[in-house]
Amino acid sequence: MNRVKISERIFYVGTNDRKKHLFENNWPLPAGVAYNSYLINDGKTALIDTLEFGSKDDYIDEINSILDGKSLDYLVVNHMEPDHASMIGEILKNFPAVTVVANSKTFVMLDAYYKLPRERFMEIKEGDILDLGHHKLAFVMVPWVHWPETMVTYDTTEQILFSCDAFGSFGTLDGGIFDDEINFDRYYEDEMRRYYSNIVGKYSNMVQKAFAKLAGISVKCICPSHGPVWRTDPAKVLGLYDKWSRQEAEEGVVIAYASMYGNTEKMADTLARLLAEEGIRNIRVFDVSKTHVSYILSEIWRYNGLILGTCAYNGDMHPMMHLLCHEISVSQPKGKTFAIFGSSTWNGAGAKALMAFAENEKMAMTGEAVQLLGAATDEKMEGFKAMAKEFAAKIRK
Ligand code: FEO
């Protein structure tokens, strides 16, 4: 097979993981995930990030085959999360002369995992240049995109950005590796937004700071550590990440509900219908006990309206609604038009708990929470008419 080249001296040596069910043992991977790693075979040689341990049996062989008798001089570590870093031990073992290139925060983590001797470590700071011959690598610190030590590597010669988690996506690379080899809009955009909202969303302000730092840099190609390589239209992925990190949402509403015996579900469907009658066309209704929070969070990121409803459960909201509220609290989607509803048999504890959550998160409510006891009859849901009208008016663009 032909080697996959990013440019004349830069090779793609990544892999696909279709075995793992949950990323970080938390987020579903129905379409898998790619771990991207890049090898520069220049006067000096450098590997940029590694892979998750066990994800590619012939990784070391492939590197050796490309190097064709040369040694590996440098391993650049942009980020220490083990999906990129857990092959570092194998690299150190197989290339005993390799120097690990990273920043001082990374060194502390490297030492915690590998007891890396100081003499095998080259500490770089922002603005430093690693000269490989033709390629000259610069480093930009982008803390919290996605861990505190994270940096990106920029090839000043060919204007290629090795961006690690930034501009990444869930989903394996099924034949197509480059943006011009895939149908991005049909499939990857949803997986990329889900990846963004699940993994990076919490750090959106840090993504904006990273954008500010990279503003003056010309980027012809983006090589992330997950998902497609952007050699034809890097502006597209830059635009999406800019939009999501500014929390710019489309017109639409997510209605997420928890229901034990169908009454809260009936409330959700009634409200959804009323919103449709008000002209809202993007309405996504989710049962939180059925749909994994990963997908709900992604849709919350997409749309500008959010409505939560729950039954009462042990004097509180339903446990699965707790999980969604936890993820909302962690990732902090901003600027949502927001409303609440709930049903119970005697004390309205679910809706009360949602109202306490909203107050704590400083999420302003549209109208009063619609609450009912017992069966969800049309009469008891009368309050939804005013809520739907006001809500639709607020989210309409
Ligand atoms: Fe893909 Fe934060 O690691």
Side-chain angles (χ1 to χ4, degrees):
M1 292 294 289
N2 291 331
R3 299 282 178 213
V4 177
K5 283 187 170 186
I6 306 298
S7 70
E8 189 51 37
R9 296 176 174 88
I10 303 180
F11 296 79
Y12 177 89
V13 289
T15 193
N16 289 312
D17 188 344
R18 297 189 181 89
K19 289 195 179 79
K20 190 194 282 282
H21 287 273
L22 296 171
F23 190 76
E24 298 176 341
N25 225 359
N26 195 37
W27 309 106
L29 290 174
V33 66
Y35 311 122
N36 301 340
S37 171
Y38 304 93
L39 179 62
I40 307 179
N41 189 9
D42 202 346
K44 291 282 187 182
T45 62
L47 183 66
I48 300 186
D49 291 317
T50 69
L51 310 172
E52 175 145 329
F53 185 84
S55 61
K56 185 174 184 174
D57 292 346
D58 60 353
Y59 183 51
I60 300 295
D61 289 344
E62 185 177 13
I63 291 168
N64 272 322
S65 164
I66 293 168
L67 293 180
D68 195 22
K70 288 165 82 174
S71 61
L72 181 64
D73 296 307
Y74 301 111
L75 167 62
V76 177
V77 179
N78 282 322
H79 179 28
M80 275 298 291
E81 189 166 5
D83 54 329
H84 313 290
S86 54
M87 279 296 281
I88 290 177
E90 295 302 303
I91 296 293
L92 295 175
K93 250 190 276 174
N94 283 277
F95 301 99
V98 74
T99 297
V100 179
V101 179
N103 62 62
S104 58
K105 284 184 191 163
T106 306
F107 179 71
V108 176
M109 296 181 183
L110 276 164
D111 196 47
Y113 278 93
Y114 300 108
K115 284 277 162 222
L116 185 72
R118 189 85 210 177
E119 61 272 17
R120 296 193 70 179
F121 178 68
M122 177 191 287
E123 180 181 331
I124 47 85
K125 293 188 267 323
E126 189 153 308
D128 288 351
I129 296 285
L130 181 66
D131 191 343
L132 302 179
H134 174 69
H135 292 280
K136 292 166 183 32
L137 304 181
F139 307 95
V140 181
M141 306 302 137
V142 291
W144 296 108
V145 188
H146 146 240
W147 279 9
E149 88 299 3
T150 311
M151 65 182 196
V152 296
T153 298
Y154 176 65
D155 172 33
T156 60
T157 311
E158 294 181 351
Q159 302 178 351
I160 297 171
L161 183 67
F162 299 94
S163 62
C164 202
D165 278 348
F167 314 122
S169 172
F170 289 143
T172 50
L173 297 171
D174 297 343
I177 289 176
F178 298 94
D179 58 329
D180 49 79
E181 296 176 333
I182 58 171
N183 191 337
F184 179 78
D185 296 345
R186 183 163 296 179
Y187 167 65
Y188 283 98
E189 183 167 341
D190 280 349
E191 280 297 88
M192 181 176 275
R193 191 186 55 255
R194 191 166 68 86
Y195 169 88
Y196 183 88
S197 61
N198 293 184
I199 309 296
V200 188
K202 171 181 169 63
Y203 307 107
S204 287
N205 60 335
M206 302 310 283
V207 174
Q208 278 296 307
K209 284 187 180 169
F211 265 111
K213 269 191 170 183
L214 296 168
I217 294 176
S218 167
V219 175
K220 288 190 175 151
C221 178
I222 295 177
C223 296
S225 291
H226 305 289
V229 172
W230 295 81
R231 68 180 175 189
T232 297
D233 191 11
K236 180 154 186 158
V237 70
L238 290 168
L240 286 171
Y241 264 66
D242 186 39
K243 178 173 96 168
W244 293 329
S245 57
R246 281 188 288 105
Q247 309 227 15
E248 186 185 291
E250 302 166 29
E251 176 184 312
V253 58
V254 171
I255 302 175
Y257 69 90
S259 183
M260 284 190 288
Y261 299 108
N263 289 296
T264 318
E265 179 182 34
K266 193 169 175 188
M267 295 178 81
D269 279 327
T270 301
L271 182 52
R273 180 67 200 142
L274 288 167
L275 286 163
E277 286 176 354
E278 291 294 331
I280 302 303
R281 293 295 169 259
N282 295 314
I283 303 170
R284 305 286 289 123
V285 179
F286 295 104
D287 180 337
V288 293
S289 301
K290 165 83 183 303
T291 304
H292 194 284
V293 66
S294 166
Y295 299 92
I296 304 175
L297 207 54
S298 179
E299 294 300 297
I300 289 173
W301 221 271
R302 182 175 197 169
Y303 295 120
N304 61 355
L306 172 62
I307 303 176
L308 301 179
T310 183
C311 54
Y313 193 102
N314 286 340
D316 205 330
M317 65 178 87
H318 189 278
M320 297 307 284
M321 182 56 72
H322 257 305
L323 177 60
L324 175 59
C325 287
H326 167 75
E327 291 300 344
I328 291 170
S329 180
V330 167
S331 61
Q332 294 283 306
K334 297 269 193 307
K336 304 295 173 194
T337 297
F338 179 64
I340 285 170
F341 64 93
S343 77
S344 65
T345 305
W346 64 91
N347 66 358
K352 282 180 197 159
L354 276 179
M355 286 188 274
F357 163 76
E359 191 176 346
N360 200 41
E361 297 298 320
K362 299 186 173 43
M363 294 168 73
M365 282 171 55
T366 298
E368 294 289 313
V370 173
Q371 303 178 66
L372 58 79
L373 295 177
T377 60
D378 288 349
E379 191 183 27
K380 293 178 195 171
M381 291 190 283
E382 194 64 25
F384 273 153
K385 287 183 180 167
M387 178 192 274
K389 193 173 277 299
E390 187 181 351
F391 200 94
K394 280 189 177 176
I395 65 173
R396 198 172 287 120
K397 290 199 169 184

